Every structure is written in C-alpha cells, then in structure tokens.
Amino acid sequence: MRKYSIIIPVYNRPDELEELLDSLTRQTYTHFEVIVVEDGSVRRSDQVVERYHDRLDLKYFEIENRGQGFARNFGFEKACGDYFIVFDSDTIIPPRYMEVVNTRLSDDFLDAYGGPDAADENFSDLQKAISYSMTSVFTTGGIRGKKNNAGGAFQPRSFNMGISRRVYRETGGFAKRDMGEDIELGIRLKKHNYRMGLIPEAFVYHKRRGNFGDFFRQVHSFGRTRFVLDKLHPGLELIKPVHAFPSAFVLFCLLIPVWYFVFEPFFWLSLAGLALFIVLIFLDATSRTKSLKVGALSIVAAFVQLFGYGLGFIQEGARRVLRR
C-alpha cells in the first residue's frame, strides 16, 4: 500500500489551516501523513495542529521565513511517504481526493500530477467571484484545470499537486522561494521527460485571496513571473502571445477615452465592445453560480485579474527592455 506525505506550508493562516486539516480527517483513503511547515509566521498554527494530533498522523515544524517553495522542500526532507502531495493552506480537500489519486497512480503511474480547483458552495460570494474569474473563458481562456494550457503540455500548480519521492530526490524540488516556483519546477520536470498529467477528479476547493487588493497583488506577480521564468530558462519560448492578452486588454481600456478626441466612431465602438464583455461575464457568472451578487462581483474580479496580470506583464517587460 502506497504511503503519501501531504506537505502544507503555512504563513499566518491558522484559521484556514484548521479547515484544511478538518477536511483531511474525512478522507476515505487514510494511509498518509501530514507535515505542516510554519514558514516564519507571526500568527502561529501550533494550537490548531495540537487539536488534530489524535486524528491525523501529523508532524509540525517551525522554520524561519524562507518562502513557500523552500518551506515545501523542508517538508519533503522530513517526509516518510513514497509520494509527496502539496496543498496550499487555503484549500479544502473533498473526502475522496486521496482515494482518487491513489487509484489513478496505481492504474497509470505519473511522476508528477496536478489537479484542478473549484469553489465550494459554502465559500463567500467574493471567493466564488474570484474563483469564477480564475477559471472563466473570458479571463484565462478557461485553460486552468485542463490537460493542455497556454504553455503547451499540462503543468502542475502548487495549490494542488504531487511528485514522487524519486522525482524530488533527482530534481531537488522547488528552486525558487515563490512567484512561479511551481511553473519553474514543471519546466524542469518536462525538460527531463518525467511523466506528468492532470487528474481531473482530484480537485480541491480553493479559497484564494480574501479581498480584491490581495487578489490584485497575486495576479500582478503572475504577470511578472513569465519574464522571470523566461530569464531562468532561455530558449524555451515561455512567453507566448496568449500571455500578452491581459496587457492588450489594459491598453484597450486605457485608450478608450483617447479615441473620443482622435476618432469618435471608434470610441463608441470600443465602448460598446467593453459593455458587451461586461454583460457576457455577468450572464455567464450568474448562470454558473446561480447568484446575481456573484455575477456582479465577478465583473470586478475579472477587471482586477486582467489589470493586475496585464500591468505586471507590462512592468516586467519594460524592465527587460530597459536592461537591454
């Protein structure tokens, strides 16, 4: 029977960690240990962990703040399992998750896997709106949680992924503190021909950021990441036209007032196009979530996401040009 080690880095999120640990007590497949790595938190999770010691095979470590990538590596070093699974602390795990993963790996082994994310019905309206924006065809092209994405073959993401002990031993795990550390690891796994894949049924409920300010900062870092990774792995063409779409959207929106003075017909045409985009997001989000409020919040979430990512992409791109 394969034993799994679940690695959870946590930074100032004891309340979210409690929900995650509680969900792990409900798993139908139970041959796993849980390793919580407190990454230099001010709001420590030791009391939360203590409440679950008699319900989970649980280990708790405190380290100086090193970033989530290196905190995961620390957890890997302490792990006893044959296969390592990584969750972000703001996730909740469905009861059959471990059973689904074990069945897939037993039938068709993967050196590394990833799973999609979803919004639980108990999430707040804001969390549902952000989740919609991160998976909508109108913002990401609907590529998250699909077997292929904008970068080509599927690559695991660290909020919900797993790697074998052998892969960690041969690659050293994460090579970056944060900001694209999972994408960078996926690039190295692909270069070394490890077998990776999506397990669609192995989804998690992902809370994401608690407010639009935090969400903006997160997606802004995503926009910058593409250029950072391209610098680390030159020659792999990691920046593709689809990654520039949010930047094009930002420029499109900013130029709308200009067209009024330059070429008024195009001003009204652009305004109509933007209005159609807003209506489509509202109707689609409302239809998917069955909530008018979530539909309205999804409009804001979509603009925050596109502007955050787009401005980050423009900022890092401009820095590269200036350096050259």
Side-chain angles (χ1 to χ4, degrees):
M1 181 181 292
R2 182 182 293 111
K3 182 174 182 178
Y4 296 88
S5 294
I6 296 175
I7 315 299
I8 307 169
V10 60
Y11 180 70
N12 291 331
R13 293 186 174 187
D15 296 338
E16 291 180 349
L17 178 65
E18 176 141 29
E19 292 183 289
L20 171 52
L21 294 180
D22 182 67
S23 70
L24 290 175
T25 66
R26 307 174 195 279
Q27 294 300 302
T28 55
Y29 182 96
T30 59
H31 196 50
F32 63 86
E33 65 174 355
V34 180
I35 298 176
V36 176
V37 182
E38 189 86 73
D39 187 25
S41 300
V42 176
R43 296 176 56 215
R44 297 165 63 235
S45 303
D46 53 328
Q47 294 183 7
V48 172
V49 171
E50 185 63 32
R51 288 196 287 272
Y52 286 87
H53 265 302
D54 60 344
R55 302 169 65 185
L56 293 167
D57 180 2
L58 187 57
K59 299 174 183 175
Y60 175 68
F61 299 95
E62 294 182 79
I63 63 173
E64 294 183 0
N65 183 259
R66 301 175 62 191
Q68 56 193 10
F70 294 154
R72 295 184 188 111
N73 286 348
F74 181 91
F76 294 157
E77 286 294 322
K78 302 297 182 181
C80 297
D82 310 303
Y83 207 98
F84 305 152
I85 295 176
V86 174
F87 294 134
D88 279 357
S89 61
D90 58 353
T91 56
I92 297 174
I93 316 304
R96 292 189 64 250
Y97 178 97
M98 295 300 300
E99 179 184 346
V100 165
V101 168
N102 185 63
T103 299
R104 169 59 192 275
L105 296 182
S106 298
D107 295 342
D108 184 19
F109 187 79
L110 296 169
D111 296 306
Y113 79 86
D117 58 340
D120 183 77
E121 61 181 12
N122 295 320
F123 282 7
S124 70
D125 291 334
L126 178 59
Q127 289 167 338
K128 290 178 181 178
I130 292 176
S131 180
Y132 167 82
S133 180
M134 289 293 288
T135 57
S136 171
V137 67
F138 297 109
T139 52
T140 66
I143 59 176
R144 288 183 65 89
K146 300 297 188 296
K147 292 185 178 180
N148 294 296
N149 58 32
F154 173 79
Q155 291 184 336
R157 294 294 183 264
S158 57
F159 64 84
N160 174 17
M161 67 174 289
I163 63 173
S164 70
R165 175 178 287 276
R166 180 176 71 89
V167 167
Y168 169 66
R169 187 174 64 248
E170 294 175 354
T171 65
F174 294 95
K176 295 174 81 275
R177 282 177 51 91
D178 43 30
M179 198 174 79
E181 78 286 355
D182 49 357
I183 302 176
E184 193 281 331
L185 175 58
I187 292 169
R188 284 187 285 123
L189 296 184
K190 183 178 178 182
K191 286 171 65 175
H192 290 88
N193 296 316
Y194 288 109
R195 191 159 187 264
M196 298 187 294
L198 171 73
I199 304 180
E201 301 81 11
F203 67 90
V204 301
Y205 298 119
H206 195 187
K207 282 190 171 184
R208 304 194 182 280
R209 297 307 185 224
N211 57 66
F212 283 134
D214 289 342
F215 183 46
F216 178 89
R217 285 185 285 274
Q218 181 187 43
V219 293
H220 185 270
S221 73
F222 291 168
R224 295 180 54 211
T225 292
R226 278 291 154 185
F227 286 96
V228 174
L229 295 175
D230 187 64
K231 183 178 179 180
L232 289 173
H233 298 278
L236 294 183
E237 297 182 359
L238 298 177
I239 300 175
K240 300 181 182 298
V242 67
H243 296 132
F245 168 73
S247 300
F249 179 80
V250 170
L251 295 175
F252 170 81
C253 291
L254 295 179
L255 285 173
I256 289 178
V258 176
W259 289 117
Y260 183 82
F261 300 100
V262 176
F263 186 59
E264 188 174 340
F266 199 75
F267 164 79
W268 293 110
L269 183 63
S270 300
L271 208 58
L274 186 62
L276 177 62
F277 178 72
I278 291 172
V279 170
L280 289 174
I281 289 175
F282 176 75
L283 293 177
D284 185 52
T286 300
S287 174
R288 286 172 55 178
T289 63
K290 312 301 181 187
S291 168
L292 290 171
K293 183 177 180 180
V294 175
L297 286 171
S298 295
I299 298 171
V300 181
F303 273 79
V304 169
Q305 180 180 339
L306 291 170
F307 266 76
Y309 188 103
L311 290 173
F313 191 86
I314 292 171
Q315 174 187 336
E316 203 62 33
R319 285 180 178 174
R320 172 171 291 195
V321 171
L322 291 174
R323 290 193 195 105
R324 288 179 176 175

